[in-house]
Amino acid sequence: MVRLRYGNQKPTFESIGKYAYTDGDDAIDLFRRYGATFYPSQEYEFSLMLARDENNEPATLSLAISKPRQNGKSYAARWYAIWAAVIEGKKVLYTAHHGATVRKMFKEMLQVIKNNKDLKKELVPGKKGIYSAAGLEGFYFSNGGCIEFATRTASGGRGGTFDVIIIDEAQEYNEAQQEALKPSTIASESGEPQMIYLGTPPGPDCHGTIFKGFHDKAHAGHKGVWW
C-alpha cells in the first residue's frame, strides 16, 4: 500500500499581525464547487490573503510566502486573483521573473475560467474578455475587475494601476524591478495596493534583494510585512 506524503502543512516560522476576520473560508467553499482542491497550508495562505481589519480593508498590504520548489506556492494566489477580480471587482497584476512562469499561470487560469460557466459568464462579452497574445495576456470582467500578466523587467510592467499585485518568483525581485513597478501602484482605486510575494528560499546565485530583506526583517521582529 502506497502512503501519500503531504509534507509539513504548518509554517516553520511566521510573523502575522492581527486581523478582525477573513473571507478565506467562504472563498474556499465557493471554489471547491469549481473543482479546486487545497492543501491545509494553501487554505491558511488563502485566509491570510483575505484577512480584513475592522474597516473591511486588507489587514496587511504586504504578505510574503516562502516555500520550497514544487510545493504549490502559487496555487492559493491563483484563486485569490480570481476572487479579487470576479467577486470584488479589483484590478490584479500577476508578475513573475520568467516568461514561461507567466505563460503557465495564464494557461492555468484560462482553463479554470473557461471550464466554469459561472466564471466564464462574468467575462466582458465578445472577444474582449480574454487576451491571449504573448506579453498581453489578460482576463477582463464586466464588473470592471481584471487579471493581467507581465514578466518583470527593469523597464516596467503593464502600465496600468492595480489593486492587487502578485509577485511570483519573488526571490529574484530586486530594487530596479520594484522601481519599475511603482507606476502600477499609484492611483489604485482601492488606495495603496496589496502586494503578495511568492518565493522560494534563495540559492547562492540568486540576485534578488527584496524578498531576503523581508525575511530578515520578519525574523528580527519587524511587523511591517506578514511572513
Side-chain angles (χ1 to χ4, degrees), residues 112-182:
V112 169
I113 292 170
K114 290 180 70 174
N115 291 335
N116 290 277
K117 62 180 182 180
D118 289 344
L119 298 175
K120 189 175 179 180
K121 72 180 182 181
E122 298 299 327
L123 291 166
V124 173
K127 297 182 178 180
K128 296 182 179 180
I130 300 176
Y131 283 74
S132 58
L136 295 173
E137 298 96 335
F139 303 107
Y140 301 88
F141 301 95
S142 297
N143 64 357
C146 71
I147 307 171
E148 293 188 348
F149 300 79
T151 304
R152 286 194 302 274
T153 68
S155 59
R158 288 292 296 265
T161 56
F162 299 92
D163 306 301
V164 177
I165 299 179
I166 298 171
I167 308 288
D168 205 346
E169 298 175 328
Q171 73 278 2
E172 302 285 354
Y173 189 51
N174 58 41
E175 284 86 353
Q177 293 170 349
Q178 182 170 254
E179 285 297 314
L181 269 180
K182 275 189 175 180

Side-chain angles (χ1 to χ4, degrees), residues 13-18 48 59-66 167 170 173 178 192-198 209-227:
F13 170 85
E14 66 177 335
S15 178
I16 303 298
K18 295 180 180 180
L48 296 179
T60 183
L61 292 178
S62 297
L63 171 63
I65 299 172
S66 178
I167 308 288
Y173 189 51
Q178 182 170 254
E192 188 177 355
Q194 185 183 37
M195 308 287 287
I196 308 294
Y197 301 88
L198 310 172
T209 54
I210 305 297
F211 198 60
K212 183 180 184 302
F214 290 157
H215 167 277
D216 293 347
K217 288 180 180 179
H219 281 262
H222 292 265
K223 302 300 181 183
V225 177
W226 288 14
W227 181 272

Side-chain angles (χ1 to χ4, degrees), residues 2-199:
V2 177
R3 298 184 63 182
L4 297 177
R5 299 180 64 185
Y6 294 101
N8 185 7
Q9 296 297 308
K10 295 183 179 180
T12 55
F13 170 85
E14 66 177 335
S15 178
I16 303 298
K18 295 180 180 180
Y19 55 93
Y21 70 97
T22 177
D23 287 322
D25 289 343
D26 291 337
I28 289 167
D29 288 343
L30 173 65
F31 290 141
R32 275 184 176 146
R33 296 181 219 164
Y34 297 155
T37 57
F38 298 91
Y39 289 130
S41 61
Q42 294 165 339
E43 292 181 3
Y44 182 54
E45 293 159 14
F46 210 166
S47 72
L48 296 179
M49 294 172 191
L50 278 166
R52 298 293 183 257
D53 62 18
E54 295 83 356
N55 298 317
N56 303 320
E57 298 294 334
T60 183
L61 292 178
S62 297
L63 171 63
I65 299 172
S66 178
K67 298 176 75 172
R69 296 183 185 278
Q70 305 302 317
N71 275 265
K73 65 179 172 58
S74 61
Y75 188 78
R78 177 195 316 172
W79 290 99
Y80 179 50
I82 293 172
W83 172 277
V86 177
I87 305 301
E88 298 182 340
K90 291 183 176 180
K91 294 177 172 59
V92 181
L93 174 65
Y94 170 86
T95 174
H97 186 71
H98 296 100
T101 305
V102 174
R103 190 66 179 172
K104 179 181 178 182
M105 178 61 79
F106 169 75
K107 289 181 176 179
E108 288 172 343
M109 286 197 198
L110 178 63
Q111 290 303 309
V112 169
I113 292 170
K114 290 180 70 174
N115 291 335
N116 290 277
K117 62 180 182 180
D118 289 344
L119 298 175
K120 189 175 179 180
K121 72 180 182 181
E122 298 299 327
L123 291 166
V124 173
K127 297 182 178 180
K128 296 182 179 180
I130 300 176
Y131 283 74
S132 58
L136 295 173
E137 298 96 335
F139 303 107
Y140 301 88
F141 301 95
S142 297
N143 64 357
C146 71
I147 307 171
E148 293 188 348
F149 300 79
T151 304
R152 286 194 302 274
T153 68
S155 59
R158 288 292 296 265
T161 56
F162 299 92
D163 306 301
V164 177
I165 299 179
I166 298 171
I167 308 288
D168 205 346
E169 298 175 328
Q171 73 278 2
E172 302 285 354
Y173 189 51
N174 58 41
E175 284 86 353
Q177 293 170 349
Q178 182 170 254
E179 285 297 314
L181 269 180
K182 275 189 175 180
S184 299
T185 70
I186 298 172
S188 164
E189 291 182 7
S190 62
E192 188 177 355
Q194 185 183 37
M195 308 287 287
I196 308 294
Y197 301 88
L198 310 172

